[in-house]
């Protein structure tokens, strides 16, 4: 994990096996989170790590992937190739970066460092509306690498529409509508800490406080299915709908003009006791099978939530996800090692995925088919 070594050794000194600061020869996300907790201010760590109410959904998400078991194929000599396409855009790995807010709290370069790391690895980054650098600044940090822009409903319909237009003009390849936030989840850690953006940082894509128009009493706090096609037209981009956990909602989004559905619990930060992404994914994949995107291609499905190992990612691909996205692990990587830390997380999990694919006789992400997994009936559902 280049760039994450904590202790400075003397010139020529070799790391000792018992050195507590010696990097393990694999991606240790628990250790990485512990180190991130040491360098982040407590309210910032709580903001990234916390979830809604009792945080049951946060805790259950990783374990939900472990309720599946792989069924390896044997006698298939293969070398795994992770390359795939997302909405027609080539990427080097099906493991990408989910949108997460206020990255400048984790590292001074914030989203710019994350963008450069994703470009280095060949991964796709989804840039949050709640970024500490603007739509254009993040795009310019790696102008030739693909990225998507995630859109929240902003302080006025006009400002939200302008953000969508700017994303299209800046070269983003898709617009990701996050639809699971009609109101902010009740996050007890943030309430306890009276969380606020640290001094010196800005919500770069939000209007300045003095420029924010007041919403009328009749203003809607939510989007509708009609907004999917509307934002596709405004931005001239394919629309991904993020935050879907039901098959019927997925079909409605697809028929309203979505090019892809993103299964997500918002990191367990919105509704507690929500169905884990690992369990919602098969229903959504089954529901949209045969649905057609506006360009005539099949509607794609993505997933995030609790992916912490290459085998988790392989289960997701086998269940029908075209890609998996990471949130908190990239936050810990950014906090500890900047761009190098994010690249180390993406590389480590991609290497684990390739290793698991080889062991299971899977040559490409598209070869991970449903017969590769079975629900572990002896484990709690």
């Amino acid at each position: 994990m280049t760039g994450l070594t904590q202790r400075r050794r003397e010139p020529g000194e070799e790391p000792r096996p018992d050195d507590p600061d010696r990097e393990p020869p694999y991606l240790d996300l628990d250790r990485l989170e512990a180190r991130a907790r040491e360098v982040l201010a407590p309210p910032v760590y709580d903001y990234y790590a916390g979830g809604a109410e009792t945080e049951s959904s946060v805790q259950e998400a990783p374990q939900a992937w472990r309720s599946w078991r792989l069924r390896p194929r044997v006698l298939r000599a293969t070398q795994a190739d992770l390359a795939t396409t997302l909405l027609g855009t080539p990427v080097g790995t099906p493991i990408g970066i989910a949108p997460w807010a206020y990255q400048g709290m984790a590292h001074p370069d914030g989203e710019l460092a994350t963008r450069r790391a994703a470009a280095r690895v060949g991964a796709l980054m989804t840039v949050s509306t709640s970024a500490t650098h603007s739509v254009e600044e993040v795009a310019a940090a790696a102008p030739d690498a693909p990225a998507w822009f995630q859109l929240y409903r902003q302080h006025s319909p006009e400002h939200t529409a302008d953000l969508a237009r700017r994303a299209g003009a800046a070269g983003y390849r898709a617009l990701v509508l996050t639809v699971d936030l009609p109101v902010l989840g009740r996050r007890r850690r943030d309430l306890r800490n009276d969380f606020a953006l640290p001094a010196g940082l800005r919500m770069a894509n939000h209007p300045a406080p003095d420029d924010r128009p007041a919403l009328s009493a009749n203003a809607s706090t939510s989007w509708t299915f009609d907004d999917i096609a509307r934002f596709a037209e405004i931005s001239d981009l394919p629309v991904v709908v993020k935050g879907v956990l039901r098959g019927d909602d997925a079909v409605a989004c697809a028929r309203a003009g979505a090019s892809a559905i993103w299964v997500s619990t918002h990191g367990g930060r919105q509704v507690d006791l929500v169905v884990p992404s690992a369990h919602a994914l098969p229903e959504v994949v089954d529901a949209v099978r045969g649905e057609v995107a506006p360009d005539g291609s099949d509607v794609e499905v993505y997933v995030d939530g609790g992916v912490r190992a290459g085998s988790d990612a392989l289960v997701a691909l086998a269940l029908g996800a075209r890609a998996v996205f990471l949130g908190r692990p990239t936050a810990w990587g950014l906090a500890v090692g900047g761009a190098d830390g994010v690249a180390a997380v993406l590389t480590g999990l991609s290497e684990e995925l390739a290793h698991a694919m080889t062991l299971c006789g899977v040559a490409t992400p598209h070869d991970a088919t449903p017969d590769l997994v079975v629900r572990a009936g002896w484990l709690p559902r």
Side-chain angles (χ1 to χ4, degrees):
M1 295 179 62
T2 304
L4 300 188
T5 300
Q6 190 174 43
R7 187 178 74 88
R8 184 182 297 277
R9 293 190 295 272
E10 295 300 322
E13 179 188 358
E14 292 297 324
R16 302 185 308 272
D18 62 346
D19 186 343
D21 292 323
R22 177 178 181 267
E23 289 296 340
Y26 54 88
L27 178 62
D28 187 336
L29 288 176
D30 290 336
R31 174 188 170 109
L32 185 62
E33 180 177 353
R35 290 175 59 183
R37 188 170 191 170
E38 293 175 355
V39 303
L40 294 171
V44 172
Y45 171 79
D46 280 350
Y47 177 82
Y48 292 144
E53 297 181 0
T54 66
E55 300 186 352
S56 297
S57 294
V58 176
Q59 297 160 17
E60 292 171 355
Q63 292 305 316
W65 293 109
R66 318 293 153 71
S67 67
W68 297 95
R69 290 295 180 267
L70 292 164
R71 301 173 65 235
R73 303 166 184 150
V74 299
L75 299 177
R76 290 168 172 82
T78 183
Q79 183 174 354
D81 180 358
L82 298 185
T84 187
T85 60
L86 303 180
L87 295 179
T89 297
V91 292
T93 173
I95 297 176
I97 300 176
W100 56 280
Y102 309 148
Q103 294 185 21
M105 298 193 305
H107 187 275
D109 291 339
E111 293 83 8
L112 307 184
T114 303
R115 174 89 163 112
R116 294 178 185 124
R120 186 192 312 174
V121 175
L124 188 143
M125 176 186 181
T126 311
V127 179
S128 173
T129 288
S130 299
T132 49
H133 291 87
S134 72
V135 176
E136 294 82 7
E137 288 172 326
V138 182
D144 297 327
W148 295 345
F149 185 73
Q150 175 264 344
L151 190 68
Y152 283 132
R153 185 181 182 277
Q154 284 292 288
H155 301 274
S156 71
E158 294 77 16
H159 184 77
T160 307
D162 184 58
L163 270 180
R165 292 188 194 95
R166 288 167 57 191
Y172 290 84
R173 307 292 180 87
L175 196 67
V176 179
L177 301 187
T178 294
V179 297
D180 57 4
L181 202 145
V183 295
L184 192 67
R186 191 165 182 80
R187 304 166 191 173
R188 293 178 180 176
R189 297 199 209 193
D190 292 347
L191 293 170
R192 181 178 66 245
N193 294 327
D194 193 20
F195 173 80
L197 197 64
L201 292 179
R202 61 184 180 129
M203 294 185 288
N205 296 313
H206 292 230
D210 293 342
D211 296 333
R212 296 175 187 174
L215 294 177
S216 70
N218 296 320
S220 171
T221 59
S222 301
W223 288 323
T224 70
F225 291 105
D226 292 339
D227 288 299
I228 296 172
R230 184 172 70 87
F231 279 114
E233 182 178 2
I234 289 171
S235 64
D236 197 24
L237 295 172
V239 168
V240 179
V241 180
K242 179 178 179 290
V244 177
L245 294 169
R246 297 169 54 105
D248 52 358
D249 279 349
V251 170
C253 289
R255 294 179 180 175
S259 294
I261 307 298
W262 188 327
V263 176
S264 175
T265 68
H266 208 111
R269 296 163 63 79
Q270 283 300 100
V271 184
D272 203 13
L273 301 182
V274 70
V275 58
S277 295
H279 296 172
L281 177 60
E283 177 185 335
V284 170
V285 170
D286 287 345
V288 301
R289 186 173 289 112
E291 296 293 332
V292 179
D295 67 355
S297 63
D298 293 336
V299 170
E300 297 181 356
V301 178
Y302 318 122
V303 69
D304 67 30
V307 172
R308 298 294 183 267
S311 53
D312 298 340
L314 181 53
V315 167
L317 296 177
L319 291 174
R322 195 172 182 92
V324 300
F325 289 87
L326 308 175
R328 290 182 179 94
T330 58
W332 311 143
L334 183 63
V336 172
D340 286 345
V342 176
V345 169
L346 293 169
T347 299
L349 280 174
S350 294
E351 288 176 347
E352 286 188 358
L353 171 59
H355 195 77
M357 288 168 59
T358 299
L359 289 171
C360 289
V362 177
T364 74
H366 308 290
D367 296 323
T369 48
D371 63 291
L372 194 68
V373 291
V374 63
R375 188 69 175 265
W378 68 90
L379 294 174
R381 286 184 174 270

